[in-house]
Amino acid sequence: MSKSGVSVAPECITAFNELKLGRGAVKYIIYKLSDDYKEIVVEEKSADGNWETFQDKLMNAKSGHKGKEGKGPRYAVYDFEYELQAGEGKRSKITFISWSPDEGTLVYPRMTYASSKESLKNALSGLAAEVQANRDDEIEYDTILKDITKGKR
């Protein structure tokens, strides 16, 4: 359980293991807090490897609290594949992404997501990289690629 009292639903770990072991059957998972903010649950999992589709889903997520709605923070895991330079082949990194937009996000969801992140990360054994994104430009493919490869392409 996290500092915020939020727990991780078993489905979160099951979906992650499908991604980790299935290589291709699940390309990404988007996690969210349940409507009552008591549990982290799977919002969506997909085999679609299109980065723009994934990015669009994160950027258009919504969260509500006390009758108000704003941009929605989300956690995600993406099986990020990339080519090495000089024909050295492909690499894959299972990457944890914490998406919490700086603008348009309600305070309560943003704070609850921030204080619950470690619980989910700790439950997902086998993450290779982590990215924190708060602005649209930080969730661009090339930005993420640079982050997870430490600029080594």
Side-chain angles (χ1 to χ4, degrees):
M1 190 165 298
S2 68
K3 294 176 187 175
S4 63
V6 172
S7 62
V8 177
E11 68 179 3
C12 296
I13 298 162
T14 301
F16 178 74
N17 287 335
E18 287 176 38
L19 180 145
K20 185 171 71 169
L21 302 174
R23 289 294 183 196
V26 177
K27 185 68 175 172
Y28 68 81
I29 307 160
I30 298 174
Y31 301 96
K32 70 172 202 158
L33 288 171
S34 59
D35 292 341
D36 62 4
Y37 289 89
K38 295 191 181 299
E39 189 174 43
I40 299 168
V41 297
V42 173
E43 180 174 49
E44 178 178 348
K45 63 182 179 175
S46 177
D48 181 2
N50 183 290
W51 179 263
E52 288 78 22
T53 301
F54 168 74
Q55 177 185 25
D56 188 58
K57 289 178 185 291
L58 289 181
M59 292 173 64
N60 290 304
K62 302 285 184 205
S63 287
H65 183 65
K66 294 188 177 180
K68 296 180 183 175
E69 185 177 83
K71 288 185 177 180
R74 292 293 186 270
Y75 312 115
V77 174
Y78 192 91
D79 188 1
F80 206 97
E81 293 181 18
Y82 56 96
E83 294 277 344
L84 295 175
Q85 281 187 342
E88 296 177 25
K90 281 187 173 185
R91 294 289 185 269
S92 176
K93 283 194 178 182
I94 298 175
T95 304
F96 182 87
I97 300 168
S98 179
W99 168 245
S100 187
D102 280 338
E103 295 182 18
T105 306
L106 301 174
V107 173
Y108 185 80
R110 188 179 175 104
M111 293 300 113
T112 307
Y113 271 85
S115 62
S116 304
K117 177 174 83 169
E118 290 301 318
S119 281
L120 179 59
K121 278 181 42 187
N122 291 339
L124 307 178
S125 178
L127 294 167
E130 178 184 354
V131 174
Q132 171 70 45
N134 301 96
R135 297 186 322 263
D136 293 355
D137 64 322
E138 293 175 334
I139 198 105
E140 294 292 334
Y141 180 89
D142 289 336
T143 303
I144 302 284
L145 179 63
K146 185 178 176 184
D147 284 350
I148 68 170
T149 61
K150 307 288 188 254
K152 299 174 191 167
R153 291 191 71 199

